[in-house]
């Protein structure tokens, strides 16, 4: 097999605790105070998902108004999403899975990219495409922390960011694994709190996650 190029890694770009809120946003006016609340709670890595018509505008608004945030774009499921994400200023990219066309589009951006994998075979395929950092998704039903612990001796050169079904109680367990460099999820931005614009409560959730990550990193 011919060598494939490697993209820059996300791990060195991580700013603050290795906890990445996964955001579903469609209103730039709501996106900015939400991002400010998360940053105030200590979380700077923000993944805005392409699940709404105005997701790109939300990502651009956060990047412009909240310079402490490192804004990435996720749920990239079509090749054309990649150039759009790069053009919107995304600092990192995430997909729930991987295809050959997505791999090619990801390489063309030159940005850190986490393709989604749920099994050893999928991880091997992603590694063959040159991706050594991968999203383990959906972590909860794909075997959780025990599954990732099982991957470690088989895939010593692959680092994972689990998402999907992760809540505050799981932060310590996942971050204690040697092959986990970060984790993410939507639990930090419950839709009911976002709807009520309960920014102080969201900041408190972020603060709790920041403390849990700090405790986990300290004990490893
Ligand atoms: C993702 O795209 O990573 C998931 O939607 C996050 O899953 P969660 O909603 O269970 O956190």
């Amino acid at each position: 097999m011919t060598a494939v190029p490697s993209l820059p890694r996300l791990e060195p770009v991580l700013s603050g605790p290795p906890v990445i809120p996964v955001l579903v946003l469609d209103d730039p006016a709501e996106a900015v105070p939400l991002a400010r609340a998360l940053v105030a709670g200590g979380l700077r890595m923000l993944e805005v998902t392409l699940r709404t018509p105005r997701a790109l505008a939300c990502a651009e608004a956060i990047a412009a108004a909240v310079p402490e945030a490192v804004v990435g774009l996720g749920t990239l499921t079509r090749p054309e999403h990649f150039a759009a994400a790069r053009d919107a200023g995304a600092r990192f990219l995430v997909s729930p899975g991987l295809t050959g066309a997505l791999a090619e589009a990801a390489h063309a951006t030159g940005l850190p990219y986490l393709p989604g994998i749920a099994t050893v075979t999928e991880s091997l395929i992603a590694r063959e495409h040159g991706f050594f950092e991968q999203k383990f998704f959906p972590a909860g039903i794909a075997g959780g922390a025990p599954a990732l612990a099982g991957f470690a001796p088989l895939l010593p050169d692959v680092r994972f960011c689990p998402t999907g079904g992760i809540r505050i109680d799981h932060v310590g367990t996942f971050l204690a694994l040697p092959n986990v460099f970060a984790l993410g999820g939507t639990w930090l931005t419950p839709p009911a709190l976002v709807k009520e614009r309960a920014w102080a409560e969201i900041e408190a959730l972020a603060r709790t996650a920041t403390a849990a990550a700090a405790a986990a990193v300290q004990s490893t």
Side-chain angles (χ1 to χ4, degrees):
M1 191 178 153
T2 51
V4 287
S6 286
L7 286 172
R9 303 280 181 117
L10 177 58
E11 196 168 351
V13 179
L14 281 181
S15 174
V19 176
I20 306 177
V22 174
L23 308 176
V24 182
L25 299 166
D26 197 34
D27 178 357
E30 184 178 86
V32 169
L34 173 68
R36 285 201 180 110
L38 292 166
V39 168
L43 303 180
R44 296 176 173 191
M45 307 296 298
L46 307 182
E47 176 190 332
V48 177
T49 56
L50 272 194
R51 298 181 197 175
T52 60
R54 290 190 294 168
L56 287 174
C58 289
E60 286 171 334
I62 296 171
V66 192
E68 309 94 310
V70 177
V71 182
L73 277 158
T75 317
L76 307 186
T77 57
R78 298 176 185 276
E80 59 270 26
H81 288 161
F82 287 77
R86 181 201 55 212
D87 294 348
R91 307 265 301 274
F92 64 95
L93 309 172
V94 186
S95 295
L98 185 67
T99 68
L102 297 185
E104 201 176 312
H107 278 295
T109 66
L111 290 168
Y113 172 56
L114 304 181
I117 68 91
T119 64
V120 170
T121 298
E122 291 171 6
S123 183
L124 291 171
I125 292 169
R127 189 175 67 175
E128 283 178 7
H129 282 289
F131 305 120
F132 293 85
E133 292 176 323
Q134 302 171 5
K135 165 180 163 119
F136 178 55
F137 176 80
I141 56 174
L148 270 187
F151 288 11
L154 316 175
L155 301 156
D157 53 351
V158 181
R159 312 269 294 151
F160 295 97
C161 175
T163 78
I166 293 182
R167 302 292 174 262
I168 186 67
D169 294 351
H170 311 135
V171 169
T173 311
F174 276 107
L175 290 181
L177 297 176
N179 55 348
V180 168
F181 73 95
L183 52 77
T186 59
W187 91 90
L188 294 145
T189 52
L193 292 187
V194 177
K195 196 170 165 211
E196 288 164 21
R197 303 192 168 214
W199 309 134
E201 281 87 339
I202 287 174
E203 179 182 330
L205 288 176
R207 214 172 280 290
T208 304
T210 297
V217 169
Q218 244 172 22
S219 63
T220 53

